Amino acid sequence: MKLNILSLINKTIANDEMLSRARDASFKDFHCKGLQYICLFRSPGYTLKFYFMEDEARSAGEVVCPHDHRYMFRTKVLSGRLINYTFCPTPHGETYNAFDFKTPLNGGDGFSFRGEECLERDSGSILSPGNTLTSTPQAIHTIRSIASDTVLMLEQFHDTVPIDTPTSTWSAKGEPTPKTDGLYSKFEGDELVGYLHKLARMKDI
């Protein structure tokens, strides 16, 4: 699907109904503190969203545990720098605790432990402004911001895993069980508009 993204951003800023829909679909502290998630368009086959990775998210290191997805997606770095780490199941890898995950955003109950599994992590790929990354649903990955003011644009395509089927998340053995407590809060007042204005000023969008 082809969208005029800058036009969509500016229309959302100016239109109360579009802004209300964007506010309903967007979340603060998404996956971790300081990761702001803004969704501007959603349909069964295409979703357009942005991530602002602020200082708290950058200092957290990897902003989310290794995980897979229900869908293929494409990420573009708009500002800052990012490392993408991918993982491969192998009996010779590091031992991880494996969890089934049903997101509370779709009425799920979060993380359910399913056992220990071994994964091997690559050395990571660095993405700078203008760089893109395409990932398949079954790919296991995590990301880390390595520069201030890292902003990502993510295009999400149609689900290939049913909504009632859990995805997978892994945490290294000995680390705490992943939790969603204190995350996924809502934007209030003009908070969302401030982020949209930042997006509208970006050159490589």
Side-chain angles (χ1 to χ4, degrees):
M1 183 172 184
K2 190 73 172 177
L3 287 176
N4 185 323
I5 296 171
L6 184 58
S7 176
L8 177 63
I9 292 167
N10 286 322
K11 286 179 179 178
T12 302
I13 292 171
N15 185 290
D16 288 344
E17 183 177 346
M18 292 176 67
L19 184 61
S20 179
R21 287 201 300 267
R23 190 179 286 113
D24 288 344
S26 302
F27 295 89
K28 296 190 296 184
D29 299 326
F30 191 85
H31 294 325
C32 77
K33 294 288 187 179
L35 180 61
Q36 318 307 355
Y37 164 96
I38 295 170
C39 181
L40 288 192
F41 183 87
R42 184 178 295 278
S43 72
Y46 181 85
T47 296
L48 176 67
K49 49 195 180 182
F50 299 86
Y51 293 115
F52 284 79
M53 303 177 72
E54 298 176 339
D55 286 344
E56 195 171 4
R58 182 160 59 96
S59 64
E62 296 172 8
V63 299
V64 64
C65 292
H67 60 285
D68 58 15
H69 295 83
R70 296 195 318 275
Y71 45 78
M72 187 174 81
F73 66 91
R74 180 169 57 237
T75 297
K76 181 178 183 179
V77 178
L78 300 180
S79 67
R81 297 178 82 205
L82 182 80
I83 300 181
N84 182 74
Y85 296 105
T86 59
F87 297 75
C88 180
T90 171
H92 308 295
E94 181 181 352
T95 301
Y96 284 76
N97 292 322
F99 299 85
D100 291 332
F101 179 63
K102 291 186 175 181
T103 175
L105 301 182
N106 291 324
D109 54 3
F111 297 97
S112 299
F113 179 70
R114 72 165 182 253
E116 294 182 352
E117 298 173 6
C118 292
L119 301 176
E120 184 175 46
R121 191 184 83 170
D122 69 5
S123 58
S125 300
I126 297 177
L127 287 81
S128 299
N131 293 159
T132 61
L133 165 75
T134 299
S135 185
T136 61
Q138 65 270 23
I140 304 169
H141 89 126
T142 188
I143 57 175
R144 179 179 182 180
S145 170
I146 55 172
S148 59
D149 300 321
T150 297
V151 180
L152 312 177
M153 180 176 73
L154 192 146
E155 296 175 283
Q156 171 184 322
F157 304 104
H158 67 274
D159 285 2
T160 60
V161 176
I163 193 72
D164 58 350
T165 299
T167 56
S168 293
T169 297
W170 293 261
S171 67
K173 188 174 181 180
E175 291 184 356
T177 299
K179 295 183 181 296
T180 59
D181 298 345
L183 304 179
Y184 308 114
S185 58
K186 302 300 294 182
F187 288 96
E188 299 178 359
D190 291 331
E191 287 179 324
L192 182 60
V193 174
Y195 286 102
L196 294 178
H197 279 298
K198 290 180 182 180
L199 290 174
R201 292 193 294 268
M202 290 186 175
K203 297 177 180 178
D204 193 23
I205 200 165

